[in-house]
């Protein structure tokens, strides 16, 4: 089914084609006609399913169909996201897909100067993508007004609730017209999400394209048992011996992310850390380096990595298992996007066995466990005895030319 069959105008279909997409994903196929019809949508979809295009394309069409230059400081469509990185990526999608339309879009978030944002909004905008905190700053200063909003999108709504943005969101919504289209996208239909929908939406059409708490079937998963103190050594060996060139690694804390990135850098693996304490400039530089290949390993915390959209990312590594099992699903969802194959590796210390079992219960599947000779953990097992994998020696070649101990992970 081509995009044109969904009722999208030629300019949008051409823009989608230019970016290499020919067939809509399930969330796009189901959401686009409903949004074009002006109905509210409550959608549950895993990351990497194309949901941004699922709401951006029909929004652009609706805005273009009734286009009137917005008045100064006014916004016609507002998209709220939990993180700066996601906000920037969503705004870029609107610019890319709307390149053939005469619509103005901009993004605002914290950590950068506010004056360029004020200038961007001065003439009014068709689409504004924002994080809640910085948007409230502008609203309080009177540099942005929301009394003409026609469409509201709450993207990654579950994460915004987790991050404590609910009060900010309510303040923002209170400044909008009651008669508007509201689109709410979340990883799951939790009771909290349904309560949010009941407050902000009018008879929304529910779209669920992913089983609850599932991981994408195209992501292969494995857990390596290893002592906590040797995780970095094993990770460095795996990267070098398998010649992995682009690896997203998750750490539990900001300090841990910094330390791990420094250690891997010392091993000859160009690395950078990304987390909430980093300036926006440093976060943008690290992400750009990771995308263009100048940074081989990006070490991230959960909040900083939420919404990262890295095209064809082959591999995600959990250096530390998350305390909350749901975060495992979001983490490994950074790979295996848009139907591509991906790999998720977890380094599991004996004291993380309960965390691993909690993840397995959540996703309702057993994650294969292995031990690499030379990296055997202390006697306390992970549960069921992991399978020993063949490994030629301890340590390994970190130059990228060593043979992989697990052929299945070779690229």
């Amino acid at each position: 089914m081509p995009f044109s069959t969904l009722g999208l105008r030629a300019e949008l279909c051409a823009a989608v084609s230019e970016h290499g997409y020919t067939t809509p994903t399930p969330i796009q196929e189901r959401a686009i006609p409903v949004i074009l019809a002006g109905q509210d949508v409550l959608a549950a979809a895993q990351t990497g399913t194309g949901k941004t295009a699922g709401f951006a394309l029909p929004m652009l069409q609706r805005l273009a169909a009734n286009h009137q230059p917005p008045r100064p400081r006014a916004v016609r469509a507002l998209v709220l996201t939990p993180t700066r990185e996601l906000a920037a990526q969503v705004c870029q999608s609107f610019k890319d897909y709307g390149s053939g339309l005469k619509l103005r879009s901009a993004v605002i978030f914290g950590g950068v100067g506010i004056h360029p944002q004020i200038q961007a909004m001065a003439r009014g905008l068709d689409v504004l993508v924002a994080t809640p905190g910085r948007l409230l700053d502008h609203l309080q200063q009177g540099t942005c007004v929301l009394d003409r909003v026609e469409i509201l999108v709450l993207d990654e709504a579950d994460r915004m609730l987790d991050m404590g943005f609910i009060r900010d969101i309510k303040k923002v919504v209170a400044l909008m017209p009651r008669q508007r289209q509201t689109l709410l996208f979340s990883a799951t239909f939790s009771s909290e999400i349904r309560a949010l929908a009941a407050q902000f939406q009018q008879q929304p059409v529910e779209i669920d394209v992913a089983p609850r708490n599932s991981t994408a079937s195209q992501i292969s998963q494995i857990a390596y048992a290893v002592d906590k103190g040797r995780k970095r050594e094993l990770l460095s060996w795996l990267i070098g011996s398998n010649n992995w060139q682009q690896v997203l690694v998750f750490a539990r804390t900001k300090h841990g992310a910094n330390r791990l990135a420094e250690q891997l850098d010392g091993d000859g693996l160009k690395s950078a850390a990304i987390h909430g304490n980093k300036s926006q400039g440093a976060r943008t530089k690290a992400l750009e380096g990771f995308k263009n290949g100048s940074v081989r390993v990006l070490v991230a915390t959960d909040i900083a990595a939420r919404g990262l959209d890295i095209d064809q990312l082959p591999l995600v590594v959990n250096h530390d298992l998350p305390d909350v099992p749901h975060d495992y699903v979001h983490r490994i969802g950074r790979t295996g996007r848009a139907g591509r194959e991906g790999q998720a590796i977890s380094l599991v210390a004996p004291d993380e066995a309960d965390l691993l079992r909690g993840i397995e219960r959540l996703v309702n599947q057993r994650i294969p466990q292995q031990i690499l000779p030379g990296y055997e953990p202390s006697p306390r097992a992970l549960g069921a005895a992991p399978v020993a994998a063949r490994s030629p020696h301890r340590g390994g070649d970190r130059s990228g030319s060593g043979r992989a101990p697990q052929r299945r992970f070779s690229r």
Side-chain angles (χ1 to χ4, degrees):
M1 171 189 293
F3 278 91
S4 58
T5 62
L6 300 178
L8 293 172
R9 56 194 291 170
E11 298 96 327
L12 294 171
C13 292
V16 170
S17 179
E18 287 176 6
H19 287 82
Y21 304 111
T22 57
T23 304
T25 65
I27 185 64
Q28 294 163 1
E29 186 177 331
R30 295 179 60 182
I32 288 175
V34 177
I35 298 173
L36 285 175
Q39 295 177 271
D40 286 2
V41 168
L42 174 59
Q46 292 174 291
T47 56
T49 57
K51 62 182 174 61
T52 300
F55 62 76
L57 291 169
M59 285 174 63
L60 287 166
Q61 176 148 322
R62 296 202 69 210
L63 293 169
N66 185 30
H67 187 240
Q68 297 178 354
R71 62 185 176 86
R73 297 177 290 117
V75 175
R76 298 183 64 203
L78 174 66
V79 183
L80 289 178
T81 73
T83 67
R84 305 167 186 176
E85 286 75 22
L86 180 57
Q89 290 165 7
V90 169
C91 185
Q92 188 59 51
S93 292
F94 274 96
K95 290 180 181 294
D96 290 342
Y97 299 138
S99 58
L101 306 174
K102 295 180 180 180
L103 299 174
R104 293 200 296 266
S105 59
V107 60
I108 61 172
F109 46 71
V112 297
I114 199 170
H115 294 294
Q117 298 176 355
I118 293 175
Q119 293 175 352
M121 292 185 292
R123 292 191 302 153
L125 293 168
D126 295 290
V127 180
L128 175 64
V129 185
T131 53
R134 177 51 65 96
L135 177 59
L136 281 177
D137 290 342
H138 282 282
L139 293 171
Q140 290 166 2
Q141 294 185 36
T143 55
C144 175
V145 292
L146 303 179
D147 59 350
R148 300 291 180 91
V149 169
E150 302 166 32
I151 307 172
L152 167 65
V153 181
L154 301 179
D155 194 15
E156 305 274 10
D158 50 332
R159 177 54 64 173
M160 286 198 282
L161 293 182
D162 291 344
M163 295 172 66
F165 285 139
I166 183 61
R167 287 188 179 182
D168 290 349
I169 293 172
K170 288 181 177 180
K171 290 178 182 178
V172 169
V173 174
L175 300 174
M176 297 181 189
R178 291 184 61 86
Q179 295 300 316
R180 64 175 189 273
Q181 183 178 25
T182 302
L183 315 174
L184 193 155
F185 287 78
S186 170
T188 63
F189 286 151
S190 65
S191 57
E192 293 82 5
I193 289 297
R194 290 190 179 280
L196 194 67
Q199 293 181 62
F200 298 152
Q201 295 185 298
Q202 300 291 326
Q203 297 180 324
V205 175
E206 291 193 9
I207 300 173
D208 190 351
V209 298
R212 185 165 180 158
N213 300 330
S214 68
T215 55
S217 60
Q218 66 272 19
I219 301 175
S220 63
Q221 303 170 62
I222 192 169
Y224 285 117
V226 62
D227 282 331
K228 184 176 182 179
R230 300 195 66 201
K231 282 188 176 186
R232 190 273 306 166
E233 182 184 346
L234 175 56
L235 175 59
S236 182
W237 188 88
L238 286 169
I239 294 171
S241 62
N242 287 281
N243 196 26
W244 293 332
Q245 295 300 312
Q246 191 180 44
V247 188
L248 177 61
V249 179
F250 284 94
R252 184 176 291 115
T253 66
K254 300 169 186 176
H255 173 72
N258 282 338
R259 185 167 179 269
L260 181 58
E262 291 172 0
Q263 291 175 330
L264 292 172
D265 219 45
D267 290 340
L269 304 170
K270 183 62 177 177
S271 305
I274 181 171
H275 53 68
N277 281 358
K278 293 278 187 179
S279 69
Q280 186 56 40
R283 289 164 69 165
T284 300
K285 182 179 178 181
L287 184 57
E288 288 178 350
F290 189 59
K291 288 182 176 180
N292 66 32
S294 60
V295 171
R296 190 171 178 180
V297 184
L298 184 66
V299 186
T301 55
D302 287 299
I303 290 178
R306 181 68 178 218
L308 289 181
D309 189 4
I310 302 162
D311 190 37
Q312 300 185 44
L313 177 67
L315 184 70
V316 167
V317 176
N318 292 298
H319 181 272
D320 308 310
L321 286 184
D323 292 322
V324 179
H326 285 279
D327 286 337
Y328 175 85
V329 177
H330 296 309
R331 285 181 177 188
I332 73 170
R334 300 305 101 199
T335 186
R337 298 171 77 86
R340 300 184 180 95
E341 292 185 357
Q343 303 162 359
I345 294 173
S346 299
L347 308 183
V348 185
D351 63 0
E352 293 177 304
D354 287 342
L355 295 177
L356 181 61
R357 283 191 284 269
I359 290 168
E360 290 178 327
R361 286 194 295 270
L362 178 74
V363 302
N364 194 31
Q365 69 181 90
R366 182 78 173 173
I367 298 173
Q369 302 172 24
Q370 294 187 358
I371 294 173
L372 289 178
Y375 292 96
E376 294 87 350
S378 56
R380 286 181 297 167
L382 284 173
V387 178
R390 296 180 60 191
S391 176
H393 56 278
R394 173 174 168 176
D397 175 11
R398 294 174 186 152
S399 67
S401 59
R403 289 193 59 181
Q406 288 294 305
R407 296 289 298 176
R408 63 182 290 191
F409 291 125
S410 300
R411 296 302 297 174

